[in-house]
Amino acid sequence: MDDLRAIPLFKDLGEERAKAVASRCRWRNYDTNELIIDYEDESDEVHFILAGKCRVLFRSPTGREIILGELGEGTYFGELAAIDGTPRSANVTAMHRSRLCIMPGRLFMDLATEVPSVSRHMLANLAGLVRSLNARLAEHSFLQTKERLYAELIRQSKPRTGHEGQRIVSPPPFHHDLANRIGCRREVVSRELSALAKAGLTEKSRGGLILCDPDELNRRISKAMEK
């Protein structure tokens, strides 16, 4: 059995309690593209990612999909159902082969109310989620498609080593994934990326998509927000 304290949320649990809690959890491997939880499932278990990566996705009644985010090792999902008992609000799928700890919702809530460090960590995680969703809502309310694309590219990027002022999205993003993240058609993303390349603001490399002047992209976003 895996050590529950390898999960950041439970790193401060004592050894005996960690073992007792772990014995009440399920530990499972998921294959690439395997569904973990589906929209409107009535389960209330909380899932902790020990290894791998998962994608959180919302699917509308018409079949349209929006990528809400991706979660990696040490993160968790499903706590909302454990807190309020409502059906799942999103679909979660393993992007790569992944190993998860699956904890009953009641057990999770007992730990959240009895262990201060767990409670603080959970509240900080929820606060971060609210802030992220507020930012995404603002983007969809105030920005046109192209500025939403700029914001998503910056969000996915990291500083490019050895090239001060530049950032890189690595591996290079798929156009349909970007479209699903910002709520538009793939063709629109392809057109806007071509325009950015022609303007010298992006450049393709073997390692990813280079943002040559992220400051200019941020200026364009800020300008659009002021309108």
Side-chain angles (χ1 to χ4, degrees), residues 49-215:
I49 304 173
L50 303 173
K53 194 172 186 180
C54 300
R55 171 168 287 171
V56 185
L57 182 147
F58 175 80
R59 183 180 295 110
S60 74
T62 60
R64 184 175 178 181
E65 296 181 344
I66 298 176
I67 297 173
L68 298 180
E70 292 165 355
L71 301 171
E73 182 177 333
T75 59
Y76 59 95
F77 58 90
E79 72 276 19
L80 297 184
I83 292 170
D84 63 14
T86 59
R88 304 294 189 179
S89 57
N91 154 314
V92 183
T93 303
M95 296 180 66
H96 313 294
R97 184 167 175 79
S98 302
R99 182 163 179 77
L100 276 68
C101 168
I102 305 169
M103 180 177 291
R106 178 62 181 271
L107 176 57
F108 174 80
M109 289 305 299
D110 286 345
L111 291 168
T113 54
E114 295 172 6
V115 183
S117 62
V118 173
S119 178
R120 288 193 296 270
H121 192 291
M122 183 187 72
L123 289 172
N125 187 69
L126 289 174
L129 177 61
V130 170
R131 292 180 191 280
S132 175
L133 291 176
N134 282 345
R136 296 285 290 272
L137 178 60
E139 289 172 11
H140 281 269
S141 298
F142 302 122
L143 300 180
Q144 299 297 318
T145 302
K146 60 183 179 180
E147 287 92 10
R148 295 204 305 273
L149 176 61
Y150 305 160
E152 184 60 35
L153 290 174
I154 291 171
R155 188 159 36 238
Q156 290 193 34
S157 68
K158 59 185 179 182
R160 188 183 181 205
T161 304
H163 296 78
E164 187 175 353
Q166 294 187 352
R167 298 181 69 84
I168 186 168
V169 182
S170 181
F174 292 111
H175 292 193
H176 66 272
D177 277 354
L178 288 171
N180 285 340
R181 289 176 184 277
I182 65 175
C184 71
R185 300 193 311 277
R186 181 186 59 79
E187 294 79 8
V188 175
V189 168
S190 297
R191 184 178 67 241
E192 294 299 338
L193 286 175
S194 294
L196 287 174
K198 289 179 181 177
L201 294 175
T202 62
E203 180 182 313
K204 291 181 181 178
S205 75
R206 292 183 61 185
L209 179 67
I210 300 167
L211 307 185
C212 302
D213 191 351
D215 289 342

Side-chain angles (χ1 to χ4, degrees), residues 11-35:
K11 64 182 179 64
D12 294 328
L13 283 183
E15 182 179 357
E16 291 304 315
R17 185 159 194 182
K19 288 181 179 179
V21 171
S23 69
R24 297 172 61 187
C25 298
R26 292 188 291 125
W27 306 77
R28 186 181 160 186
N29 296 323
Y30 288 86
D31 291 326
T32 302
N33 296 324
E34 185 174 355
L35 180 68

